[in-house]
Tab-separated table of all heavy atoms in Angstrom:
chain	number	residue	atom	x	y	z
A	1	GLU	N	-131.233	97.995	-64.892
A	1	GLU	CA	-132.552	98.533	-64.981
A	1	GLU	C	-132.835	99.516	-63.882
A	1	GLU	O	-133.524	100.606	-64.055
A	1	GLU	CB	-133.613	97.411	-64.848
A	1	GLU	CG	-133.616	96.526	-66.101
A	1	GLU	CD	-134.525	95.310	-65.829
A	1	GLU	OE1	-134.682	94.784	-64.778
A	1	GLU	OE2	-135.214	94.905	-66.858
A	2	ALA	N	-132.263	99.293	-62.650
A	2	ALA	CA	-132.442	100.119	-61.534
A	2	ALA	C	-131.189	100.711	-61.015
A	2	ALA	O	-130.114	100.033	-61.165
A	2	ALA	CB	-133.297	99.414	-60.478
A	3	PHE	N	-131.175	101.804	-60.380
A	3	PHE	CA	-129.998	102.270	-59.624
A	3	PHE	C	-129.733	101.331	-58.465
A	3	PHE	O	-130.676	100.797	-57.870
A	3	PHE	CB	-130.283	103.677	-59.011
A	3	PHE	CG	-130.033	104.785	-59.897
A	3	PHE	CD1	-131.062	105.574	-60.388
A	3	PHE	CD2	-128.693	105.170	-60.250
A	3	PHE	CE1	-130.824	106.656	-61.313
A	3	PHE	CE2	-128.431	106.295	-61.113
A	3	PHE	CZ	-129.491	106.945	-61.650
A	4	THR	N	-128.475	101.005	-58.303
A	4	THR	CA	-128.084	100.066	-57.213
A	4	THR	C	-127.425	100.793	-56.038
A	4	THR	O	-126.754	100.162	-55.146
A	4	THR	CB	-127.211	99.003	-57.793
A	4	THR	OG1	-125.954	99.701	-58.354
A	4	THR	CG2	-127.873	98.194	-58.810
A	5	TYR	N	-127.529	102.106	-55.930
A	5	TYR	CA	-126.753	102.844	-54.916
A	5	TYR	C	-127.445	104.240	-54.770
A	5	TYR	O	-128.310	104.627	-55.501
A	5	TYR	CB	-125.320	103.069	-55.340
A	5	TYR	CG	-125.235	103.809	-56.709
A	5	TYR	CD1	-125.245	105.204	-56.829
A	5	TYR	CD2	-125.159	103.090	-57.873
A	5	TYR	CE1	-125.180	105.878	-58.056
A	5	TYR	CE2	-125.012	103.694	-59.123
A	5	TYR	CZ	-125.109	104.971	-59.197
A	5	TYR	OH	-125.042	105.708	-60.426
A	6	GLY	N	-127.078	104.888	-53.613
A	6	GLY	CA	-127.480	106.186	-53.349
A	6	GLY	C	-128.960	106.400	-53.094
A	6	GLY	O	-129.721	105.452	-52.907
A	7	ILE	N	-129.463	107.646	-53.103
A	7	ILE	CA	-130.834	107.962	-52.737
A	7	ILE	C	-131.860	107.426	-53.800
A	7	ILE	O	-132.977	107.255	-53.559
A	7	ILE	CB	-131.024	109.447	-52.501
A	7	ILE	CG1	-130.728	110.239	-53.812
A	7	ILE	CG2	-130.215	109.859	-51.303
A	7	ILE	CD1	-131.066	111.720	-53.645
A	8	ASP	N	-131.339	107.178	-55.019
A	8	ASP	CA	-132.142	106.697	-56.098
A	8	ASP	C	-132.223	105.210	-56.171
A	8	ASP	O	-132.737	104.548	-57.070
A	8	ASP	CB	-131.706	107.283	-57.457
A	8	ASP	CG	-132.062	108.746	-57.652
A	8	ASP	OD1	-133.065	109.081	-57.163
A	8	ASP	OD2	-131.228	109.481	-58.338
A	9	LYS	N	-131.542	104.496	-55.223
A	9	LYS	CA	-131.480	103.030	-55.275
A	9	LYS	C	-132.888	102.428	-55.398
A	9	LYS	O	-133.882	102.679	-54.707
A	9	LYS	CB	-130.831	102.544	-53.940
A	9	LYS	CG	-130.598	101.045	-54.025
A	9	LYS	CD	-129.886	100.536	-52.728
A	9	LYS	CE	-129.671	99.051	-52.737
A	9	LYS	NZ	-128.873	98.601	-51.532
A	10	GLY	N	-133.007	101.506	-56.337
A	10	GLY	CA	-134.317	100.838	-56.620
A	10	GLY	C	-135.167	101.556	-57.600
A	10	GLY	O	-136.218	100.910	-58.044
A	11	THR	N	-134.817	102.706	-57.971
A	11	THR	CA	-135.612	103.491	-59.030
A	11	THR	C	-135.073	103.280	-60.418
A	11	THR	O	-133.947	102.729	-60.559
A	11	THR	CB	-135.740	104.882	-58.707
A	11	THR	OG1	-134.453	105.618	-58.650
A	11	THR	CG2	-136.314	105.124	-57.209
A	12	LEU	N	-135.832	103.695	-61.409
A	12	LEU	CA	-135.331	103.584	-62.753
A	12	LEU	C	-133.942	104.175	-62.956
A	12	LEU	O	-133.668	105.356	-62.609
A	12	LEU	CB	-136.339	104.256	-63.708
A	12	LEU	CG	-135.977	104.258	-65.225
A	12	LEU	CD1	-136.066	102.911	-65.709
A	12	LEU	CD2	-137.013	105.189	-65.960
A	13	ASN	N	-133.062	103.401	-63.589
A	13	ASN	CA	-131.687	103.869	-63.846
A	13	ASN	C	-131.734	104.840	-65.063
A	13	ASN	O	-132.636	104.845	-65.876
A	13	ASN	CB	-130.829	102.702	-64.268
A	13	ASN	CG	-129.410	103.086	-64.261
A	13	ASN	OD1	-128.931	104.063	-63.790
A	13	ASN	ND2	-128.558	102.035	-64.889
A	14	VAL	N	-130.708	105.707	-65.158
A	14	VAL	CA	-130.564	106.534	-66.259
A	14	VAL	C	-130.189	105.726	-67.517
A	14	VAL	O	-129.521	104.681	-67.388
A	14	VAL	CB	-129.531	107.623	-66.012
A	14	VAL	CG1	-129.941	108.654	-64.939
A	14	VAL	CG2	-128.137	107.090	-65.655
A	15	ALA	N	-130.580	106.203	-68.696
A	15	ALA	CA	-130.206	105.579	-69.917
A	15	ALA	C	-130.545	106.565	-71.088
A	15	ALA	O	-131.264	107.518	-70.888
A	15	ALA	CB	-130.972	104.251	-70.111
A	16	SER	N	-129.997	106.303	-72.236
A	16	SER	CA	-130.341	107.065	-73.387
A	16	SER	C	-130.611	106.131	-74.651
A	16	SER	O	-130.119	104.966	-74.616
A	16	SER	CB	-129.145	107.986	-73.678
A	16	SER	OG	-129.468	108.998	-74.696
A	17	HIS	N	-131.275	106.710	-75.528
A	17	HIS	CA	-131.717	105.765	-76.644
A	17	HIS	C	-130.543	105.491	-77.555
A	17	HIS	O	-130.283	104.370	-78.052
A	17	HIS	CB	-132.698	106.586	-77.493
A	17	HIS	CG	-133.974	106.860	-76.842
A	17	HIS	ND1	-134.081	107.952	-76.031
A	17	HIS	CD2	-135.253	106.237	-76.765
A	17	HIS	CE1	-135.286	108.009	-75.458
A	17	HIS	NE2	-135.985	106.969	-75.944
A	18	PHE	N	-129.566	106.439	-77.703
A	18	PHE	CA	-128.433	106.210	-78.570
A	18	PHE	C	-127.129	106.734	-77.867
A	18	PHE	O	-127.196	107.591	-77.076
A	18	PHE	CB	-128.563	107.066	-79.856
A	18	PHE	CG	-129.680	106.668	-80.782
A	18	PHE	CD1	-130.935	107.289	-80.628
A	18	PHE	CD2	-129.524	105.690	-81.668
A	18	PHE	CE1	-132.006	106.901	-81.448
A	18	PHE	CE2	-130.576	105.323	-82.556
A	18	PHE	CZ	-131.821	105.880	-82.357
A	19	VAL	N	-126.032	105.997	-78.215
A	19	VAL	CA	-124.638	106.516	-77.853
A	19	VAL	C	-123.896	106.549	-79.120
A	19	VAL	O	-123.831	105.521	-79.880
A	19	VAL	CB	-123.969	105.523	-76.802
A	19	VAL	CG1	-122.610	106.080	-76.401
A	19	VAL	CG2	-124.845	105.533	-75.470
A	20	VAL	N	-123.148	107.665	-79.263
A	20	VAL	CA	-122.262	107.850	-80.453
A	20	VAL	C	-120.833	107.759	-79.978
A	20	VAL	O	-120.415	108.668	-79.143
A	20	VAL	CB	-122.586	109.185	-81.184
A	20	VAL	CG1	-121.667	109.279	-82.447
A	20	VAL	CG2	-124.056	109.226	-81.643
A	21	ASP	N	-120.092	106.833	-80.416
A	21	ASP	CA	-118.669	106.686	-80.060
A	21	ASP	C	-117.819	107.628	-80.672
A	21	ASP	O	-118.222	108.375	-81.582
A	21	ASP	CB	-118.209	105.239	-80.387
A	21	ASP	CG	-117.198	104.742	-79.342
A	21	ASP	OD1	-116.612	105.564	-78.602
A	21	ASP	OD2	-116.877	103.506	-79.345
A	22	ARG	N	-116.574	107.761	-80.280
A	22	ARG	CA	-115.595	108.767	-80.709
A	22	ARG	C	-115.395	108.661	-82.279
A	22	ARG	O	-115.168	109.729	-82.868
A	22	ARG	CB	-114.251	108.539	-80.030
A	22	ARG	CG	-114.284	108.542	-78.489
A	22	ARG	CD	-114.595	109.891	-77.900
A	22	ARG	NE	-113.409	110.797	-78.130
A	22	ARG	CZ	-113.546	112.102	-77.887
A	22	ARG	NH1	-114.715	112.629	-77.361
A	22	ARG	NH2	-112.491	112.914	-78.025
A	23	ASP	N	-115.489	107.518	-82.811
A	23	ASP	CA	-115.254	107.350	-84.244
A	23	ASP	C	-116.565	107.586	-85.004
A	23	ASP	O	-116.584	107.357	-86.269
A	23	ASP	CB	-114.665	106.027	-84.578
A	23	ASP	CG	-115.511	104.768	-84.193
A	23	ASP	OD1	-116.672	105.070	-83.606
A	23	ASP	OD2	-115.217	103.682	-84.500
A	24	GLY	N	-117.639	107.979	-84.360
A	24	GLY	CA	-118.925	108.203	-85.090
A	24	GLY	C	-119.898	106.977	-85.171
A	24	GLY	O	-120.932	107.043	-85.689
A	25	THR	N	-119.392	105.923	-84.595
A	25	THR	CA	-120.329	104.627	-84.596
A	25	THR	C	-121.502	104.943	-83.739
A	25	THR	O	-121.392	105.452	-82.593
A	25	THR	CB	-119.505	103.448	-84.041
A	25	THR	OG1	-118.447	103.155	-84.790
A	25	THR	CG2	-120.402	102.206	-83.979
A	26	ILE	N	-122.693	104.644	-84.252
A	26	ILE	CA	-123.904	104.863	-83.531
A	26	ILE	C	-124.447	103.578	-83.000
A	26	ILE	O	-124.648	102.580	-83.728
A	26	ILE	CB	-124.999	105.495	-84.520
A	26	ILE	CG1	-124.515	106.742	-85.130
A	26	ILE	CG2	-126.332	105.736	-83.766
A	26	ILE	CD1	-125.358	107.332	-86.300
A	27	TYR	N	-124.714	103.653	-81.671
A	27	TYR	CA	-125.288	102.481	-80.987
A	27	TYR	C	-126.761	102.799	-80.621
A	27	TYR	O	-126.909	103.868	-79.945
A	27	TYR	CB	-124.482	102.064	-79.806
A	27	TYR	CG	-123.019	101.583	-80.211
A	27	TYR	CD1	-121.985	102.416	-80.089
A	27	TYR	CD2	-122.825	100.188	-80.374
A	27	TYR	CE1	-120.698	101.913	-80.426
A	27	TYR	CE2	-121.512	99.757	-80.675
A	27	TYR	CZ	-120.546	100.612	-80.747
A	27	TYR	OH	-119.255	100.143	-81.060
A	28	ARG	N	-127.651	101.893	-80.749
A	28	ARG	CA	-129.006	102.041	-80.251
A	28	ARG	C	-129.074	101.128	-78.987
A	28	ARG	O	-129.010	99.934	-79.162
A	28	ARG	CB	-130.055	101.694	-81.336
A	28	ARG	CG	-131.499	101.909	-80.677
A	28	ARG	CD	-132.518	101.194	-81.580
A	28	ARG	NE	-132.803	101.880	-82.843
A	28	ARG	CZ	-132.601	101.335	-84.026
A	28	ARG	NH1	-132.131	100.170	-84.150
A	28	ARG	NH2	-132.895	102.095	-85.118
A	29	LEU	N	-129.447	101.689	-77.904
A	29	LEU	CA	-129.562	100.939	-76.686
A	29	LEU	C	-130.961	100.500	-76.272
A	29	LEU	O	-131.176	99.506	-75.576
A	29	LEU	CB	-129.021	101.740	-75.482
A	29	LEU	CG	-127.479	101.678	-75.252
A	29	LEU	CD1	-126.649	102.112	-76.494
A	29	LEU	CD2	-127.069	102.513	-74.091
């Protein structure tokens, strides 16, 4: 949920709604 390192430590981590794998599989995160 949060960054665990660097100047952003403790703030909202990066994330994306979807990740598409190399074979075209769609994941909703």
Side-chain angles (χ1 to χ4, degrees):
E1 296 174 319
F3 274 109
T4 57
Y5 54 87
I7 61 174
D8 285 325
K9 184 176 181 180
T11 62
L12 179 65
N13 193 16
V14 294
S16 195
H17 301 80
F18 296 92
V19 178
V20 180
D21 209 347
R22 305 288 293 170
D23 63 357
T25 301
I26 301 171
Y27 295 92
R28 182 196 285 118
L29 274 56

